[in-house]
Each structure stands twice: as C-alpha cells, then as structure tokens.
Amino acid sequence: MAAQKMTLAKGINAGLRAAMEADPKVLLMGEDVGKLGGVFRITEGLQKDFGEDRVVDTPLAESGIVGTAIGLAMRGYRPVVEIQFDGFIYPAFDQIVSQLAKMHARSRGALRLPIVIRVPFGGGIGAVEHHSESNEAYFAHTAGLRVVACSDPADAYWMIQQAISSDDPVMFYEPKRRYHERAEVDLDPQSGSRLGLHDARVVRDGTQLTLLAYGPTVKTCLQVADAAAQEGISLQVVDLRSLSPLDTETIDRAVKSTGRAIVVHEASTFLGLGSEIAAHIQQECFHHLEAPVLRVGGYNIPYPPSRFEEEFLPGLDRILEAVDRSLAY
Amino acid sequence: MPDVAVHHETVVPQAQQDITDGGPDMVQFVDGEGTRLERTPANTPYADIVEALTPEDGRSMYRDLVLVRRLDAEGHALQRQGELGLWPSLLGQEAAQVGAGRAMRSQDFAFPGYREHGVAWCRGIEPEQLLALFRGVDNGGWSPSELNYHLYTIVIGNQMLHATGYAMGMQRDGVVGTGDEERDAAVMAFTGDGGTAQGDFNESLVFAGVANAPLVIFVQNNQWAISEPNYKQFRVPPYQRAQGFGFPGIRVDGNDVLAVYAVTKAALDNARSGQGPTLIEAFTYRLGAHTTSDDPTKYRSAAEVDIWREKDPIKRMRGFLSQKGYADDAFYASVDREADELAVRVRTACQNMPEPSQERMFDEIYVDPHPVVEREKAQFLEYQAGFETEGAR
C-alpha cells in the first residue's frame, strides 16, 4: 500500500476500517454513526460495509452508550464509542470514571474493558455552546483510563488502531477543527518504525525554547515556530500525543535541550494538563531551566460564545508573547 | 382562552397506595400462612411451572431461604463486632432472591447491586467471598466470569447498563433463540425500587427494548430507598412502567418463593428464546435497615414493619411444606443445624481472611504498564523499606 494524501477525518475512518477488518470483535457505537456516518462523517460508509450489528446506531443516551459498551466488552467485544461532541460526554461521566476506569482493578485483573471512547474536542469551528470544550483533564485525572489526542492524519490513522488494540480503556481525543487538514498517510503496516500509542514526539526541532502541545494546538505551535523563525528565534515543538500516561522522558529531554518550556492547550489553564506538566518539569528539570515554565491556554471561564473564541483560544500572538516573556529571563 | 383539558390516566398515585398490598395484578401462589391459593387471572400463566416442582424442590428452596437468612444475620453480627465495615442486609427479601436465583441456568449471567447475597448463594458464590468487599480487603471478592455472577455494583443503577450490553453481546454471539436449551442464555439485572429513579435504569430499559435484548430486569421493591418511601421515587409502580418501554412488566409477591421462581423462569425462558426483555417487580419489604449505617426507626413505623413481619417468606414456605406433608420437624431441625454450621464457617473465614499485601493497591490498575503507577509503586516500596531498615537496627 502506498502513501495517500487524506484528511484527518479520513485518516480516522481508514484506521477504523482497518481495525474492523482485522478483528470481527470491533464494534462502533454511537448516535448517528450508521447511515449518516456521524455528524463529522468519521464513520462514513462503515455501516454499509460491516452491517448494523457492527456499526450500531444507538439511542440518544450517552450513559447508555458507554454502559452497554462495558457489557459488550465483558462479553468479549471491543466497542469503539463515538461521543458526538466534547460537551455531551458528561451524562456518561459516571459510567466512565466509576465503572470503565475501575473494572479491571475491582475484578483484580479478571475483567478487561478494551473500549475506545472517541471525543471530538476543542473549539474554533464557530459552534454553539457545549460544542467546543476540552475536558481531557477530567479523564487524565482518573486512574484506569488512558487519554490520548491525535493531531494529524498520519498519526490519527495509526493511533486509532493502537487505541482499539489496547486492552485498557482509551479516551481518544480528536481535534475537530483539524478534521479537514490534509497530509500524507503511509498505510503500509510494514514500513518504517512507528511511534507507540504513548510516545510523545518532537515535531519540530529548535534550540531556544520548547513548546509542548497536543491535538489542535500542535499546528498552532508549528505556525508560531515558523513566525518566530522569521525573527531569528528557534523554537522546538513537541506533540505530547498521550496525556495519560505522559511521555515524561521525551518531555524532559526536550526541555533540558532548550532550557525553556511553554505548555499550550485550549483547556482552561487552572488545573489543566499544563499544571501537571509544568509541575513535573519544575521537579525534574529544575537545574536546566533558564525561565519559569509558562502556560498558554483557555481562560478560566466557560467556553465563550463563538464571537469571542479567537480571543479565548491560544493563538499565535498570545503564544509569541509568552515566548518573549520566557526569553526575557 | 379555551379550557385546556389535561387527560390523566387512572393512575393511583403511589402515595395513596397501600404498600402492604400488591393488588390484584400481583402473582401469588401461597398466602401468608403457606396455604396454596387457587388459580387467579394473575397466577394462571405460571401455574404449570409451580405444579411441575417436586417436594424435593420445595424442601431445597426452604433450605436456601434459611441458609441465606443465616448468612445475612452473620454478616450483620460481624459488622456489629467490628469485623466488617458495612453490611447491607437482605432480611425479608430471601424469597425474592432465592426464587430469582434458582430460575437461572448456569449459562445465564447476573448483574447484582450490592444486596443480592441470596442470588450469589444460588449462583454458587462461596458465602465468605461476599465479605471481602465489606471487610475492606478487596473491591470484589470473586471472579465474575467463573460463575456468571458480576461483582457487586455500589453506584445505584450502573450495573443495569452493563447487563443490557452483555445481553446485546449474547445476541451477537448467537446464543439466543437457537432452541438449544443448553446453549440459549439470558441476563438478569438486579436493582431496588430506589434504583428505578436512576437515569441508567431507564436507559437500560430503552436500550433493552430497542435491541429486544435477552434481559430480565428484576426490581426488588422493598418499599424504602434508605429513608425515602416509594412515593418519593415514582408515580407509578415499576412493573407498570415496562409497557412504556415496549415489553411486559409483572408484579410478583416477592415473599412467595414459588411465585418468584415461576415468574422469573417464564421471563428467562422468553428472553432465551428471543422474545426480548421482561421487567419483574418483586413486591417485598426490607425488614432491617438499608445498611448497618442507618437507623430505620427514624423514618418508618414499627406497625408497618410488624405487618410485613407477618408476611415472612420463610414462615410462609414452612407452612406450605407442612400443610402439604412435604417436610417434617426432623427436616426443619436438620436445616437449622446446617445454618448453625454455616454461621460458624462464615465467622471463622471472616476472622481468618488474610490481609492483602500493601503494594497490591498499585496492581491491576491497567493491563499495560503505566509509568505513573509504576513510579509511585516503586516510591511506596522504597519508603516502606526505609521503615523496615530502621526497625532492624
């Protein structure tokens, strides 16, 4: 199989298809995932090819979707659940944190729940409220769950397959405002070495400061690095990919190489992932730091009406301003 | 402005219902004294199932009722003696649980709440295994897939959806409606009357109805959700709600083990043969506290409890066996002796339960290694080892 240029949405779709072909126990579940192909068309064409028992249009009830997926997983299936929008996951929160995360431990290892919960997340698409949230910290805070975020088509294609083959429950965050970004995806399973599901990666090398990002802000940080380069500033960009567990080795190596770090995410900064990452860097890289670790993220307010989202989201200017502050030390 | 006519069905509000009387819809085979009742419109569909039972079946059910009650009494006593952190008593609900548990086949799967000690007994869970959770040495106590009995679920109603999903999995596995008695399987989901108010309960009915899943939803209506009476939980009784979800609901006398057995067997047979879900409301009463943590004298009258004490499921079954000449005093005495032995066994097992190793709290959180958990476990062990070294000096 040759490399193909495709969007991130198509990358996930192709990854789901590959996983369903490889294992008849893989099921897709969610609202509108069948004929419609999901509101973002991520599951487009899959019900036609795999049938209604494997691409299951569910009642509109998020707790029911996740709760029945748990029962199906106990019976040996590998459900991939679609939550339509980030802000709709809360009815399922109880099933996810009380049951999905804890069943393996409660049963002292007797039960495995290989469930993937796909969550389109983040803002920047001009949506109404409850459609633009970044709630990954809630789940990263809960032991028993793994939380990952893809940022580009090639990664999405492989990560979704790795998430499905994991025997642990995985919260799979998809940056919805990047769904239509296109890139080359190498579909050949034999080619080259591939990152593990929980590896972070340096997506751009630089010497003066490390930007740490995931999901939609990876591209934003690459744009920041381009802009900074024009001013002669060399920025390194790390795509964290996995939020729980964090690949702290890659983080530490990157930050020690530049001596400066800024964490960028869309979620509110107060108790967001950036807090944990900044605390970790402070503990482990203290003697290498030239400046305090900074965070650029959403403000500590509910996601605002979309007319304000340009100001709310960490954009080029806010990140560049933080870069200047860091370099001033 | 025109008059707005609001049409109400003739629903009797729960607050005005007599919680000591299940009404004419309730399936019942034996009255409070153990006298076998005539056929009624409600019990006729199940009469053949009861009539097919042998005297030995009856004695065996009685034995289960007595042993389960004794196990429960021992659990309560162990909590009072400080051996258990908590005990949710099933006192009064023995017939509901034994009747339901005995109707299941080995290939069926049960999802309990946390009070279903009688169902656990019928599934073959060792009584001492029920104590681990309440003694605080484990979050479970048994392997769910060994005897097709899921772990107790503490968050009210969560298990209803797991049961529904598991039943949907059985459909996909082709173990429903094949006509092969050894193969066809169904799921039972257990909750209480308080659980029927939860979203998960109602979502499980939606999903089970839509999927026509092989599921029997078994509501033990014991009239109280901790301190709250039923009229704070629902406007219509649980069995009447099933129709709105597209499948039958049945109210059965939960203190009549024969009736519960028959109704549950019929519902499970239907589910296994592909005819979809049934909701059973076992109309019963919790004679004790919700758990050892609450005090029922604060919220309900002694007179009400006395009325229900008269409906005792064990007294009733004993009356039935005696009236029919199926059992004699020697039999009852032998069951009582067995109960005494069980109590000693449970108490001894509880007191001798090994303490788990401290580092076990870090185990089996994830299937694949998770660096944060591994790092913290290593730090914990190193910290603990520091104390041991100090002590050795």
Side-chain angles (χ1 to χ4, degrees):
Chain A
M1 278 186 284
Q4 280 181 28
K5 198 158 191 179
M6 63 176 75
T7 63
L8 189 147
K10 286 287 178 206
I12 298 169
N13 177 279
L16 290 170
R17 177 179 291 279
M20 294 184 81
E21 282 167 353
D23 184 351
K25 293 289 188 184
V26 175
L27 307 176
L28 308 189
M29 302 171 65
E31 295 151 27
D32 309 309
V33 298
K35 278 193 180 138
L36 182 66
V39 289
F40 290 106
R41 311 292 184 267
I42 305 301
T43 55
E44 194 157 48
L46 297 175
Q47 190 183 63
K48 183 168 70 67
D49 295 339
F50 293 97
E52 291 184 15
D53 282 345
R54 292 193 65 197
V55 181
V56 186
D57 272 325
T58 63
L60 201 166
E62 283 80 8
S63 188
I65 296 169
V66 174
T68 53
I70 289 171
L72 282 157
M74 287 181 62
R75 186 75 197 174
Y77 290 88
R78 305 184 85 87
V80 182
V81 167
E82 177 173 301
I83 297 294
Q84 215 155 54
F85 282 90
D86 34 51
F88 304 165
I89 202 169
Y90 305 114
F93 191 80
D94 175 35
Q95 282 288 348
I96 296 171
V97 303
S98 301
Q99 301 297 336
L100 181 61
K102 298 186 171 87
M103 199 79 89
H104 186 64
R106 286 178 63 214
S107 68
R108 290 182 61 185
L111 295 178
R112 294 180 175 191
L113 298 181
I115 295 174
V116 175
I117 299 185
R118 295 182 33 241
V119 190
F121 84 122
I125 60 165
V128 296
E129 62 174 347
H130 310 302
H131 287 68
S132 304
E133 303 189 8
S134 299
N135 42 35
E136 58 276 6
Y138 293 127
F139 301 103
H141 188 65
T142 299
L145 301 173
R146 293 176 180 274
V147 185
V148 302
C150 60
S151 66
D152 67 42
D155 223 16
Y157 174 74
W158 291 109
M159 280 179 87
I160 189 69
Q161 293 179 70
Q162 291 170 326
I164 292 169
S165 62
S166 167
D167 279 337
D168 287 315
V170 179
M171 305 294 297
F172 192 88
Y173 278 84
E174 302 169 3
K176 67 171 91 77
R177 72 176 146 121
R178 306 298 182 205
Y179 270 147
H180 302 296
E181 311 261 338
R182 293 166 72 84
E184 287 282 318
V185 178
D186 181 1
L187 300 167
D188 184 355
Q190 307 300 327
S191 72
S193 61
R194 190 152 294 116
L195 286 168
L197 183 60
H198 307 298
D199 295 331
R201 61 174 174 164
V202 177
V203 286
R204 179 185 172 116
D205 247 331
T207 57
Q208 287 175 273
L209 185 149
T210 302
L211 296 172
L212 300 143
Y214 56 89
T217 55
V218 173
K219 182 175 179 183
T220 314
C221 287
L222 288 170
Q223 290 167 336
V224 168
D226 279 344
Q230 288 176 12
E231 296 175 26
I233 300 167
S234 171
L235 300 183
Q236 183 187 45
V237 180
V238 173
D239 178 1
L240 294 169
R241 299 176 77 250
S242 176
L243 312 182
S244 175
L246 281 167
D247 177 1
T248 51
E249 282 182 31
T250 301
I251 294 171
D252 295 354
R253 206 178 315 118
V255 173
K256 285 175 182 175
S257 75
T258 63
R260 290 181 166 85
I262 300 174
V263 192
V264 181
H265 56 55
E266 292 189 9
S268 299
T269 54
F270 182 75
L271 291 178
L273 253 292
S275 309
E276 173 63 33
I277 295 166
H280 169 85
I281 293 171
Q282 186 269 133
Q283 268 185 217
E284 301 301 325
C285 309
F286 185 72
H287 293 293
H288 297 263
L289 290 178
E290 304 290 338
V293 183
L294 301 179
R295 292 171 291 158
V296 183
Y299 298 108
N300 300 316
I301 57 173
Y303 195 90
S306 58
R307 291 298 177 92
F308 299 101
E309 67 183 348
E310 282 290 304
E311 287 70 43
F312 178 84
L313 294 170
L316 261 62
D317 291 343
R318 277 174 60 204
I319 301 169
L320 282 167
E321 188 271 337
V323 168
D324 288 344
R325 268 193 288 144
S326 179
L327 291 173
Y329 276 92
Chain B
M1 199 176 146
D3 286 340
V4 179
V6 180
H7 177 71
H8 283 292
E9 290 293 330
T10 52
V11 169
V12 180
Q14 187 68 28
Q16 294 167 26
Q17 290 185 12
D18 179 359
I19 68 156
T20 64
D21 184 355
D25 290 350
M26 186 167 80
V27 179
Q28 195 181 35
F29 281 99
V30 176
D31 74 9
E33 301 307 314
T35 306
R36 177 74 159 80
L37 298 167
E38 296 300 316
R39 289 198 177 206
T40 64
N43 75 18
T44 296
Y46 310 100
D48 287 350
I49 298 173
V50 171
E51 279 154 20
L53 291 169
T54 65
E56 176 51 34
D57 289 331
R59 285 191 294 271
S60 168
M61 284 181 181
Y62 174 83
R63 174 181 174 270
D64 280 353
L65 296 176
V66 171
L67 295 185
V68 163
R69 176 167 293 184
R70 190 53 182 268
L71 161 64
D72 183 67
E74 203 53 35
H76 188 269
L78 285 165
Q79 193 279 335
R80 288 292 185 254
Q81 291 159 10
E83 299 287 346
L84 299 177
L86 184 82
W87 184 253
S89 170
L90 63 62
L91 186 64
Q93 299 175 225
E94 295 88 350
Q97 297 193 11
V98 168
R102 288 180 64 115
M104 296 181 74
R105 294 192 190 142
S106 60
Q107 71 268 29
D108 298 332
F109 205 110
F111 285 81
Y114 46 73
R115 197 190 294 284
E116 276 66 76
H117 319 314
V119 186
W121 170 267
C122 294
R123 296 306 288 170
I125 302 292
E126 295 296 338
E128 46 268 48
Q129 289 179 289
L130 295 171
L131 305 180
L133 173 70
F134 301 108
R135 193 167 167 82
V137 301
D138 205 297
N139 288 327
W142 57 91
S143 177
S145 51
E146 232 164 75
L147 294 161
N148 285 2
Y149 190 69
H150 190 55
L151 301 176
Y152 280 174
T153 298
I154 304 288
V155 180
I156 305 290
N158 276 175
Q159 76 278 10
M160 306 305 291
L161 286 165
H162 309 158
T164 309
Y166 198 91
M168 289 159 64
M170 283 177 167
Q171 286 178 310
R172 282 168 174 73
D173 290 343
V175 296
V176 179
T178 69
D180 179 352
E181 283 206 356
E182 300 296 311
R183 184 182 167 138
D184 284 344
V187 177
M188 282 200 75
F190 291 87
T191 192
D193 44 295
T196 65
Q198 282 280 7
D200 279 5
F201 175 84
N202 291 280
E203 291 187 24
S204 77
L205 269 58
V206 170
F207 275 70
V210 168
N212 203 41
L215 179 69
V216 176
I217 296 135
F218 194 88
V219 178
Q220 290 171 79
N221 178 0
N222 69 15
Q223 315 299 336
W224 291 90
I226 309 188
S227 71
E228 296 202 8
N230 275 341
Y231 62 85
K232 299 276 188 188
Q233 303 293 332
F234 41 73
R235 174 75 183 253
V236 298
Y239 78 106
Q240 290 181 355
R241 283 159 68 175
Q243 194 189 354
F245 293 91
F247 51 86
I250 302 162
R251 176 178 270 185
V252 63
D253 184 339
N255 287 22
D256 177 348
V257 69
L258 298 176
V260 176
Y261 170 81
V263 163
T264 310
K265 182 179 185 307
L268 281 167
D269 286 346
N270 280 346
R272 290 191 209 99
S273 67
Q275 294 176 69
T278 302
L279 187 155
I280 297 171
E281 177 192 347
F283 195 78
T284 183
Y285 193 79
R286 185 231 307 151
L287 285 171
H290 163 68
T291 69
T292 41
S293 293
D294 77 325
D295 174 6
T297 63
K298 284 189 187 299
Y299 54 80
R300 67 185 187 189
S301 73
E304 179 187 303
V305 180
D306 286 343
I307 291 170
W308 275 96
R309 205 165 269 134
E310 285 303 305
K311 297 170 182 281
D312 187 293
I314 295 182
K315 184 190 98 177
R316 189 183 307 201
M317 191 58 182
R318 184 168 171 151
F320 171 76
L321 293 175
S322 297
Q323 284 182 36
K324 289 281 185 186
Y326 293 160
D328 55 17
D329 287 347
F331 168 74
Y332 299 128
S334 78
V335 173
D336 287 344
R337 266 198 309 280
E338 211 182 332
D340 288 342
E341 288 161 16
L342 176 68
V344 172
R345 174 183 146 196
V346 169
R347 186 160 57 243
T348 310
C350 181
Q351 288 162 347
N352 294 334
M353 204 177 287
E355 284 294 306
S357 66
Q358 289 182 341
E359 71 260 33
R360 218 196 70 206
M361 65 179 165
F362 295 99
D363 293 341
E364 288 136 358
I365 312 299
Y366 293 91
V367 179
D368 295 328
H370 190 288
V372 174
V373 177
E374 295 199 327
R375 193 161 51 236
E376 290 188 351
K377 180 177 182 176
Q379 288 165 352
F380 172 81
L381 290 174
E382 194 184 334
Y383 178 72
Q384 296 296 92
F387 288 110
E388 284 162 21
T389 312
E390 274 175 30
R393 272 181 211 148

